[in-house]
Amino acid sequence: MKTLSFFRLVLAVGLCLAVGAVGSLVTTPQIPTWYAALAKPAWTPPDALFPLVWTVLYVLMAVTLWRLWQLHNPSPERRRAVGLWFLQLALNALWTPVFFGFEAIGWGMVVIGALWLAILATILACARIDSTAGWLMVPYLLWVSYATALNAAILAMN
């Protein structure tokens, strides 16, 4: 049973970090050119902060998924929480190519708005069956709230 638990944790962490790695492939060539040339608010964090914050957030997200898989028996509530977790991860993976890859700030705003709602729904669904899993997603919601405001400011300024 411990082997299965460890495998689930490694799988969850690997999945989240893979989403981050794919996103970095889209952003890395864009930062020196298109993104750097955009007008941005003074409260924009330095580019070096993003990978650090996202790594921590992806690990917290992975532990959330692991807790749902490992600590709770299959149920409609767990299925809903896991389904919402995968929805938010898919929207997370979509935002980077939309914003950076397609250079579509407005569509990025649409995606990040949907992402914010999906994270909130995930937190609420998780909290019904595992309060720790719900709380592990709160820093992510806070960061995406900040990123949403940043996306909106960049849209308004450009």
Side-chain angles (χ1 to χ4, degrees):
M1 192 63 160
K2 287 185 179 183
T3 302
L4 180 59
S5 176
F6 180 73
F7 173 74
R8 286 177 173 168
L9 181 59
V10 168
L11 182 64
V13 170
L15 176 63
C16 290
L17 292 179
V19 166
V22 169
S24 73
L25 294 175
V26 176
T27 59
T28 302
Q30 300 295 19
I31 288 175
T33 56
W34 174 76
Y35 181 74
L38 292 174
K40 293 181 276 305
W43 43 270
T44 301
D47 294 339
L49 185 63
F50 287 98
L52 300 172
V53 170
W54 276 112
T55 300
V56 171
L57 294 175
Y58 283 132
V59 170
L60 292 175
M61 291 163 54
V63 173
T64 298
L65 180 61
W66 172 81
R67 288 185 65 86
L68 296 173
W69 276 344
Q70 190 59 34
L71 304 179
H72 302 283
N73 292 324
S75 68
E77 291 80 17
R78 184 180 88 163
R79 196 168 22 263
R80 184 175 310 109
V82 170
L84 286 166
W85 188 94
F86 276 102
L87 173 63
Q88 65 77 27
L89 186 66
L91 289 167
N92 178 305
L94 180 62
W95 182 84
T96 302
V98 168
F99 186 90
F100 285 99
F102 296 126
E103 301 176 2
I105 303 168
W107 283 109
M109 193 68 215
V110 171
V111 173
I112 205 167
L115 173 60
W116 191 94
L117 291 171
I119 296 167
L120 179 62
T122 303
I123 290 171
L124 295 174
C126 287
R128 288 191 172 132
I129 57 174
D130 186 324
S131 63
T132 301
W135 281 109
L136 286 169
M137 296 288 285
V138 170
Y140 177 34
L141 182 65
L142 294 173
W143 180 258
V144 170
S145 297
Y146 173 68
T148 301
L150 184 59
N151 193 145
I154 291 171
L155 179 62
M157 295 172 80
N158 294 278

